[in-house]
Amino acid sequence: METILAIDIGGTHQRFAEISLTGDILEKNTYQSHPHISSEEFFEILRKRISDRLKKTSFLGVAVALPVLMPVLMNEKVGNNSVQDAPNLPFLVGVDLAQSFSFLSVPWIVENDANCALLGEAWLGEGQKESSFCCLTLGTGIGSGLFLNGKLWKGVRGMASEMGHLKIDFLGNTPCTCGGQGCLEAFASATALQKKTGYTAQELYGMACRRESLALHAFEQMGESLGRGIGSVANLLNIDLFILAGRLSQAFEFFYPSCIRVAKESAMKGPRQHLKIVQSKLGDDAGLLGAAWLIKKKFQL
Ligand SMILES: [Zn+2]
C-alpha cells in the first residue's frame, strides 16, 4: 500500500505514523522529546528515526509538523528557511530547516503543527463541512490555525494565527515562553496549569475525574481564559466554529462550561449567536493527519 510517513513533534513527545492516502493510520509510535538538547542532537536523533523507517518502507513522502514559526517549506528552498520563533523548542530558533531535511531523497514538507491539526480537522474531523473555522491545539503551549474561505490562512509571511499569544491580561505579572506578558498560553496551556498547581495536566485530569476541587477549579479558570481569547477572535473574524484539539483537550468536559460562558460574554451580540466550541474527535492524531494531507496535496500524491 502507498503510504506517507507523518511526524508530529511536540514540546514533550514525538509521534511517528504511517498513513494511507485515504487517511488511515496504519502504525503509530510515540517517543519522549528532550527539550534541553542542542539542535544538532535533536536532528541527529530525528534523522536516524526517519532513515531507519525509510530503509524498511518506501514511503511516498515525509510530512513533519513542528511547533515553530516559519515560512512555507518543501523540498526546494523558498526565501528565508530559518525558524523565527519556537517557544516550546527554543533550541530550534535560527535553524535552517531546508538544510536540516536536505538528507531526504523523497518529497518532504514541514509545516507548523497547529496548521497541520487544522488541516486534519478540515480533511477528516469536525471541520469537514465548514468553509471557515479555527482550531486550537492545547498542549505544552497553545497553537492555533485558521481556515478561511476553504483555505489555510498563513498570513503575509507564513506566520499567522498565534492565538496562544493573544494578550488576555495586562497586569504584567504573567510571563509567557514567547518573552511577552499576559498571553493566553500563559493561562491555559499544560505548562500554565502545572506552574499554577504543581501538578501535571495529566495528573489534574485524573484528579478532576475524581471530582477533586483543586483540579476542577484549575480547569474552570483555564476555561475562562480560553473563552476570553475565543470571544475576541469571534469578534475579529466572525468565525462560528472553534475546534479544540491537542492532548489537553481530553479535559474538555471540565473546562468547557466556563469556556463557552466567557466566550459568549466576550463576543458581541452578532458573532455570539452561532458560536460553537467543540472537542476534536481526532484528538492527538489531527496534526499527523493534516501533515499527511498537506504533502499529498502539494506533491499530488
Ligand atoms: Zn506569548
Side-chain angles (χ1 to χ4, degrees), residues 108-173:
W108 61 268
I109 192 163
V110 181
E111 177 55 79
N112 170 272
D113 59 347
N115 285 344
C116 289
L118 176 97
L119 294 171
E121 294 296 337
W123 185 26
L124 298 165
E126 296 297 304
Q128 281 181 67
K129 295 187 180 122
E130 304 289 328
S131 65
S132 300
F133 67 94
C134 177
C135 176
L136 286 128
T137 52
L138 310 173
T140 311
I142 294 183
S144 69
L146 283 173
F147 200 67
L148 299 180
N149 289 332
K151 277 187 184 158
L152 167 68
W153 170 253
K154 287 188 60 75
V156 177
R157 298 180 198 281
M159 294 174 272
S161 184
E162 284 294 329
M163 255 183 87
H165 304 282
L166 272 185
K167 305 293 181 264
I168 61 158
D169 177 272
F170 296 93
L171 296 175
N173 50 14

Side-chain angles (χ1 to χ4, degrees), residues 87 162 164-167 174-186:
E162 284 294 329
H165 304 282
L166 272 185
K167 305 293 181 264
T174 316
C176 177
T177 48
C178 72
Q181 293 273 351
C183 299
L184 175 58
E185 181 169 305

Side-chain angles (χ1 to χ4, degrees), residues 52 55 87 98 100 137-138 145 198 200 238 240 258 281 286:
D52 286 349
K55 276 180 210 151
S100 305
T137 52
L138 310 173
T200 65
N238 187 203
D240 288 342
S258 57
K281 292 196 180 67

Side-chain angles (χ1 to χ4, degrees), residues 181-235:
Q181 293 273 351
C183 299
L184 175 58
E185 181 169 305
F187 288 88
S189 62
T191 311
L193 285 177
Q194 184 161 10
K195 216 167 166 183
K196 194 163 184 184
T197 64
Y199 294 99
T200 65
Q202 197 58 43
E203 286 166 342
L204 284 170
Y205 175 66
M207 289 159 71
C209 290
R210 296 191 295 275
R211 316 302 302 171
E212 291 183 30
S213 61
L214 183 145
L216 293 172
H217 185 60
F219 283 125
E220 187 188 349
Q221 287 190 320
M222 175 199 155
E224 288 174 1
S225 300
L226 208 51
R228 209 165 293 155
I230 288 175
S232 295
V233 176
N235 282 342

Side-chain angles (χ1 to χ4, degrees), residues 40-97:
E40 288 80 14
E41 289 169 302
F42 173 84
F43 280 106
E44 199 183 308
I45 297 167
L46 189 61
R47 267 194 291 274
K48 177 151 185 359
R49 284 181 184 151
I50 295 174
S51 302
D52 286 349
R53 280 174 173 76
L54 284 171
K55 276 180 210 151
K56 282 188 228 150
T57 311
S58 54
F59 291 105
L60 294 173
V62 178
V64 185
L66 264 183
V68 301
L69 275 184
M70 62 183 178
V72 190
L73 269 186
M74 290 192 286
N75 282 42
E76 75 272 23
K77 285 198 169 204
V78 185
N80 176 10
N81 297 305
S82 61
V83 172
Q84 306 292 307
D85 209 344
N88 296 303
L89 294 174
F91 56 85
L92 288 180
V93 174
V95 167
D96 183 327
L97 292 173

